[in-house]
Amino acid sequence: MSVSRIKPVPCDLDIAQSAVIKPISEIAEKFGIDSRDLVNYGNYKAKIKLSALGNSNNSAKYIDVTAITPTPLGEGKTTTTVGLTDGIAKLGKKAACAIRQPSMGPTFGIKGGAAGGGYSQIVPMEDFNLHLTGDLHAITAAHNLCAAAIDARLHHESRWSDDFFEKRGMRKLNIEPTSISWNRVVDINDRCLRNITIGKGGLGDGPIRESHFDITVASELMAILALTTDLKDMRERIGRIVVAMDKNKKPVTTEDLGVAGAMTVLMKDAIEPNIMQTMEENLAFVHAGPFANIAHGNSSIIADKIASQYCDYLVTESGFAADIGMEKFFDIKCRQSGLVPDAVVLVATVRALKMHGGGPTVTPGREIDSVYKEENLELLAEGCKNMVAHINIAKKFGIPVVVGINQFHTDTEAELELVKKIARDNGAFDAVVTNHWAEGGDGAVELAQSVVKACEAEKNFKFLYELDLSIKEKIETLAKEVYGADGVEYSSEALEKIKQFEKLGYGNFPICMAKSHLSLSHDPKLKNVPKGFIFPITDIRASVGAGFLYPLAGDVRTMPGLSSQPAYMNIDIDTDTGKITGLF
C-alpha cells in the first residue's frame, strides 16, 4: 500500500483516504488463502467461507491486546493491535490481526470509529465502520424476527383453543408475559427506546405490554456469532436461546417458538468472517462485535481459527480492560475455542495513568487540563497502581505480559522511563514505548520484538475458575481475585435466580460479569485501585444459547443514548467525489 507519512499527523480519515489500497484478493493470496474460499464484496473486503477451516495444520502464536481501566483520554488499544501486527511483519514474520466489528451506535455517538488510528489502522476505514458486509443487519433482522414471533404467539394463544393448535401439530406455550426477556434491537443509540409500550391500537394490534429495545451488539445472537464454531453449532445454539418462562416457570426457547431455523437462515452469511487489510498490507479479520460490559467483548472464534492457519502471529483484541475483556477472553472464549494464548499486551498511556492517579476530570470535546501535558511524576506514579493491578490480573492466568506504552508527543522521557520501571518491577515481562500512531509498523518494532520473545517464554496458562464450582463461588472468585472486592452482596432477586438456574442445569456455565468498565470495581466513580468495597449483584441472567450466565453489578445500560453533540453532526458526503467526510 502506498501512503506517505506526514507530520504533523493528519486526521484518521484523511490518512485512510490518501492510501492506495490493494485489492483484498491480492492480500489474501499473499497469505496463502485460496481464491475459491473468498466471497468478494467489492475490491477491498471479502468474506472467507467456512470451507477454509481445517485447510492447514499451522497454528499461529496467539496474542491478546488489552489495556488499563479506560478513561475519556483513550489508550489506543485498537491502534496498538494494528501497529503491533505491522511491527511483527517488519521482523519478517507473517502477521495478522483479528478484531471486532464496531457498532454504529458509538460510531455516530461519542466514540467514533474503531478501525485504529493514525498510520496504524484498517482500511477502507469507511467500510469498516459503516455496514461492512451487513452482519449487524442480519443479526438485527434475526433478533427482531424472534421478538415478533413471541408477540404473535401471545396474540394467537389468547384467541384459540388447545385443540386449534393440536390440529396444526403445535401446542400452546402458555408464555408468562412478564417473564419475556427477549427485547427488540436496533444498532443506533436511542435512549427513548429503552422502555416502551407495544401493542397499542385495536384488538388485532396487541397484546399490549411493556417492552424494551437494546442495541444490536447487546443481542445474544451477537454473542453466539462470536462463540460459535461452525454452522451446525450456531443452529443448535440459536435453538437453545431462552426467551421467556411459561406459566409453570419452565423455559420457552426459540425452538419451542419454531423460529430458530429461520433465525439461522438470516445469519447464514454472517457466520463467515470478513477480511480487510492494515495500511501496511497485512491481513485483518473483522468479525462479530459483542459488548464487553454485558457480553464477552471479543471477536469470533471462527475468525481466530481460520486466521491462525495463515499466519505466524495472530494479534487479537479484547474489549475494555484486563478485568473485563481479557478475563472473558481467557475464561469464556479460550475455554470454548481450545486456543491457548502465548502473550498479553497491556496498553497504557502516560495521560491516562495520570488521570487514575487523581488528575482532573476530562470531558470529551473540552480542552484537557495542563497537568496532562506537563511532567508530573508524582501523579503518574500514583496512577501506575492501576497498571500494576492489570498486570497482576493477567499473571493470574499464567501468561507473560508486555506493557505497550502508547506515546503522546507531550510525554517526557522521565515519565516514560518511570512507567517502564514500575511495570518491570511489578512482574511485566517487558515494558516498551511505542509510536505506531505516527510511524506505523516502524514505530512498533521494539514492541514487536518484545512480544515475539514473550511468546517463547515459559507460560502456564490456566483458567481462573473451574466450571463445576457453584455459581456463587465463580462470582466470588471474580469479585475478589480480579476486581479486588472484600466480598459479594446479592439481592433477593439474584439469589432466587441462582437457585432457579442451578435447578435448570445452568450451574456449570462460565460467568460473564456485567459491570462498569470505568473502574476495577462496580462503581465508575471509584478510580485507580479501589479497596474495601463489597461487590453487589443486583440480578443474574442466562444466555443459554451463548452458554454463559451474566450477573449484573449495578445499573448496566444495554441501550446507550446520544450526547448533545453526537459524532454524526460532523459526518457528511462530498457529492462531487462521493468521499465521506467527518468520520473519525
Side-chain angles (χ1 to χ4, degrees):
M1 184 178 301
S2 175
V3 61
S4 299
R5 294 181 194 147
I6 300 171
K7 291 185 180 181
V9 178
C11 75
D12 294 346
L13 184 58
D14 285 348
I15 293 172
Q17 291 180 340
S18 70
V20 179
I21 308 173
K22 283 189 176 179
I24 193 63
S25 56
E26 291 187 26
I27 306 299
E29 183 180 8
K30 183 175 79 170
F31 277 78
I33 298 173
D34 194 314
S35 61
R36 290 171 295 184
D37 288 325
L38 292 183
V39 180
N40 288 298
Y41 282 67
N43 290 327
Y44 307 120
K45 56 188 175 182
K47 278 189 170 291
I48 294 190
K49 298 176 185 177
L50 298 189
S51 56
L53 272 170
N55 280 356
S56 167
N57 292 322
N58 182 63
S59 183
K61 294 293 185 182
Y62 196 31
I63 302 146
D64 181 53
V65 177
T66 185
I68 61 172
T69 301
T71 72
L73 291 168
E75 288 68 55
K77 191 170 50 177
T78 304
T79 309
T80 301
T81 298
V82 177
L84 174 59
T85 302
D86 290 339
I88 293 173
K90 294 282 184 184
L91 303 179
K93 315 289 185 181
K94 194 177 283 187
C97 60
I99 64 176
R100 289 177 294 167
Q101 179 182 349
S103 164
M104 286 187 289
T107 298
F108 291 122
I110 293 178
K111 185 177 183 290
Y119 291 99
S120 292
Q121 56 178 305
I122 295 169
V123 288
M125 72 95 84
E126 304 98 316
D127 291 19
F128 180 95
N129 290 307
L130 303 171
H131 305 293
L132 195 54
T133 58
D135 293 349
L136 270 73
H137 301 306
I139 291 169
T140 302
H143 185 111
N144 290 337
L145 175 63
C146 180
I150 295 168
D151 287 306
R153 197 58 175 255
L154 287 174
H155 172 72
H156 292 299
E157 287 194 12
S158 70
R159 300 172 65 235
W160 301 105
S161 65
D162 289 350
D163 185 58
F164 174 88
F165 285 94
E166 288 169 6
K167 285 180 179 178
R168 288 157 177 78
M170 301 164 66
R171 64 179 177 85
K172 277 194 171 183
L173 299 179
N174 295 312
I175 295 170
E176 170 52 54
T178 59
S179 74
I180 295 171
S181 56
W182 195 258
N183 303 328
R184 285 166 170 79
V185 297
V186 64
D187 195 41
I188 295 293
N189 293 357
D190 194 341
R191 61 170 47 84
C192 292
L193 294 178
R194 288 171 181 162
N195 302 287
I196 60 172
T197 301
I198 61 174
K200 296 177 73 173
L203 289 175
D205 301 322
I208 296 175
R209 66 180 182 89
E210 291 186 358
S211 188
H212 312 273
F213 265 83
D214 299 323
I215 195 163
T216 296
V217 287
S219 170
E220 185 175 347
L221 290 177
M222 178 62 88
I224 287 173
L225 181 67
L227 290 171
T228 197
T229 52
D230 56 36
L231 187 60
K232 182 175 183 289
D233 179 56
M234 186 171 80
R235 173 63 179 83
E236 291 172 351
R237 285 174 179 269
I238 290 175
R240 290 198 297 266
I241 293 171
V242 174
V243 298
M245 307 299 282
D246 66 17
K247 304 287 186 182
N248 295 316
K249 296 186 177 180
K250 298 288 180 62
V252 177
T253 68
T254 54
E255 208 71 77
D256 295 327
L257 284 166
V259 73
M263 293 167 70
T264 308
V265 167
L266 284 170
M267 291 178 60
K268 70 177 181 63
D269 295 328
I271 194 175
E272 297 174 341
N274 310 293
I275 57 169
M276 300 181 74
Q277 60 190 290
T278 71
M279 294 198 71
E280 298 187 11
E281 299 174 1
N282 293 303
L283 202 56
F285 285 71
V286 185
H287 196 219
F291 267 16
N293 55 350
I294 52 177
H296 68 289
N298 286 267
S299 57
S300 78
I301 286 173
I302 286 178
D304 286 3
K305 285 195 166 185
I306 293 177
S308 66
Q309 298 176 159
Y310 296 104
C311 62
D312 303 318
Y313 290 82
L314 177 60
V315 184
T316 190
E317 173 193 341
S318 51
F320 295 132
D323 61 315
I324 301 184
M326 188 205 71
E327 181 273 318
K328 294 173 182 179
F329 171 75
F330 289 146
D331 280 324
I332 297 176
K333 184 177 178 181
C334 290
R335 200 189 296 267
Q336 176 65 39
S337 70
L339 297 174
V340 178
D342 294 285
V344 165
V345 174
L346 180 70
V347 181
T349 66
V350 167
R351 300 194 313 173
L353 289 170
K354 286 180 179 178
M355 188 170 182
H356 283 298
T361 301
V362 172
T363 303
R366 295 185 184 177
E367 182 70 20
I368 63 172
D369 192 278
S370 60
V371 72
Y372 298 113
K373 304 174 185 178
E374 300 169 357
E375 185 173 292
N376 190 321
L377 299 180
E378 183 178 352
L379 196 65
L380 179 60
E382 179 65 21
C384 280
K385 293 177 180 177
N386 183 268
M387 175 185 69
V388 171
H390 287 290
I391 292 171
N392 289 333
I393 293 169
K395 287 175 62 182
K396 289 178 187 291
F397 293 91
I399 301 297
V401 186
V402 176
V403 174
I405 307 166
N406 189 16
Q407 185 176 15
F408 282 75
H409 71 279
T410 52
D411 301 341
T412 69
E413 193 64 32
E415 288 175 329
L416 295 170
E417 287 300 319
L418 179 62
V419 177
K420 287 196 287 187
K421 182 178 188 307
I422 292 174
R424 291 167 179 163
D425 288 349
N426 285 276
F429 178 86
D430 199 1
V432 179
V433 176
T434 180
N435 193 22
H436 45 274
W437 180 80
E439 298 175 8
D442 290 330
V445 167
E446 187 179 351
L447 176 63
Q449 290 169 333
S450 290
V451 170
V452 168
K453 289 178 184 176
C455 286
E456 301 301 328
E458 183 179 350
K459 59 180 177 292
N460 180 29
F461 177 61
K462 56 185 179 295
F463 301 118
L464 194 63
Y465 54 79
E466 296 301 323
L467 294 181
D468 58 4
L469 291 177
S470 70
I471 293 173
K472 289 179 70 174
E473 285 175 318
K474 285 180 279 197
I475 290 172
E476 286 159 21
T477 297
L478 289 172
K480 294 175 182 178
E481 295 293 319
V482 178
Y483 315 139
D486 287 349
V488 179
E489 182 177 71
Y490 301 88
S491 70
S492 57
E493 183 180 8
L495 290 171
E496 186 61 34
K497 290 273 193 74
I498 288 171
K499 288 180 185 177
Q500 180 188 36
F501 292 157
E502 288 180 337
K503 185 178 178 180
L504 290 169
Y506 308 154
N508 64 344
F509 284 3
I511 299 298
C512 186
M513 192 69 72
K515 79 173 193 76
S516 172
H517 60 286
L518 297 173
S519 171
L520 279 163
S521 74
H522 62 287
D523 185 349
K525 297 176 183 176
L526 300 178
K527 300 300 183 184
N528 210 353
V529 186
K531 297 293 182 185
F533 65 93
I534 300 297
F535 196 76
I537 301 298
T538 56
D539 194 6
I540 180 168
R541 299 171 189 171
S543 289
V544 181
F548 56 69
L549 301 178
Y550 62 104
L552 277 69
D555 183 21
V556 181
R557 295 284 191 191
T558 54
M559 170 54 82
L562 290 168
S563 67
S564 60
Q565 192 174 3
Y568 65 70
M569 297 181 77
N570 299 314
I571 298 172
D572 209 328
I573 189 165
D574 185 322
T575 55
D576 292 326
T577 64
K579 280 191 173 183
I580 292 170
T581 59
L583 190 63
F584 68 97

